[in-house]
């Protein structure tokens, strides 16, 4: 059985949320460290409930039902939107000097890219530096 970093019982919901927080912390630290040489941004494409994509390892009936429901209530994004948004962030000249930003689909299901302020916790410079140090140690 897996345990959480704090020693608690594995909680997949918390693990997912913690991974998103770590992405934001790492992005902010990288943007600060490399601001003179490269741009670093975070991107979340939104909910893409494709049973042949992200949900490919789930039960096919569940994946198909989840896709239909998320599309039906208008919160799903498309593979095309996600790819186009990622390409824009990666190579569009409008993004040349933009660094340290978090971009995602908002409003949900409307295939629109928006920039947001990170959470208060993700803006914690000490946590950003600590995650960077732990990451260096893990790959050394």
């Amino acid at each position: 059985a897996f345990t959480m970093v704090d020693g608690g019982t594995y909680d997949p919901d918390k693990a997912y949320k913690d991974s998103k927080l770590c992405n934001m912390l790492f992005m902010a630290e990288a943007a600060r460290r490399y601001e003179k040489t490269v741009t670093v941004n975070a991107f979340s494409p939104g909910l893409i409930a494709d049973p042949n994509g992200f949900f490919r390892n789930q039960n096919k009936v569940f994946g198909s039902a989840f896709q239909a429901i998320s599309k039906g209530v208008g919160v799903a994004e498309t593979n095309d939107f996600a790819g186009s948004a990622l390409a824009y962030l990666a190579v569009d000249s409008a993004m040349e000097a933009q660094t340290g930003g978090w971009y995602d689909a908002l409003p949900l299901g409307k295939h629109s890219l928006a920039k947001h302020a990170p959470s208060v916790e993700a803006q914690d410079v000490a946590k950003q530096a600590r995650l960077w140090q732990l990451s260096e140690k893990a790959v050394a």
Side-chain angles (χ1 to χ4, degrees):
F2 294 104
T3 57
M4 300 296 286
V5 172
D6 64 8
T9 304
Y10 179 72
D11 178 343
D13 185 51
K14 182 170 179 1
Y16 177 81
K17 291 174 183 174
D18 286 353
S19 75
K20 297 302 178 190
L21 174 60
C22 287
N23 286 340
M24 296 299 294
L25 293 167
F26 195 88
M27 176 276 300
E29 184 68 16
R32 187 173 28 264
R33 287 174 178 256
Y34 299 112
E35 70 179 325
K36 303 281 189 230
T37 55
V38 297
T39 59
V40 182
N41 292 292
F43 170 59
S44 174
L47 176 60
I48 303 172
D50 182 347
N52 298 311
F54 185 74
F55 286 86
R56 69 186 169 277
N57 295 318
Q58 300 294 326
N59 175 289
K60 293 296 179 190
V61 173
F62 167 79
S64 296
F66 192 77
Q67 181 183 41
I69 292 167
S70 61
K71 281 184 175 181
V73 296
V75 296
E77 295 299 339
T78 65
N79 291 325
D80 287 344
F81 164 75
S84 295
L86 182 57
Y88 170 81
L89 293 170
V91 300
D92 194 279
S93 61
M95 292 301 299
E96 272 183 29
Q98 303 300 313
T99 194
W102 169 44
Y103 298 84
D104 76 344
L106 197 74
L108 296 176
K110 302 302 180 209
H111 320 307
S112 179
L113 187 64
K115 182 179 179 183
H116 308 277
S119 68
V120 171
E121 189 173 15
Q123 295 178 50
D124 186 323
V125 175
K127 285 184 179 181
Q128 295 165 4
R130 181 68 177 139
L131 177 62
W132 191 275
Q133 293 166 346
L134 291 170
S135 298
E136 284 181 325
K137 185 177 177 182
V139 298

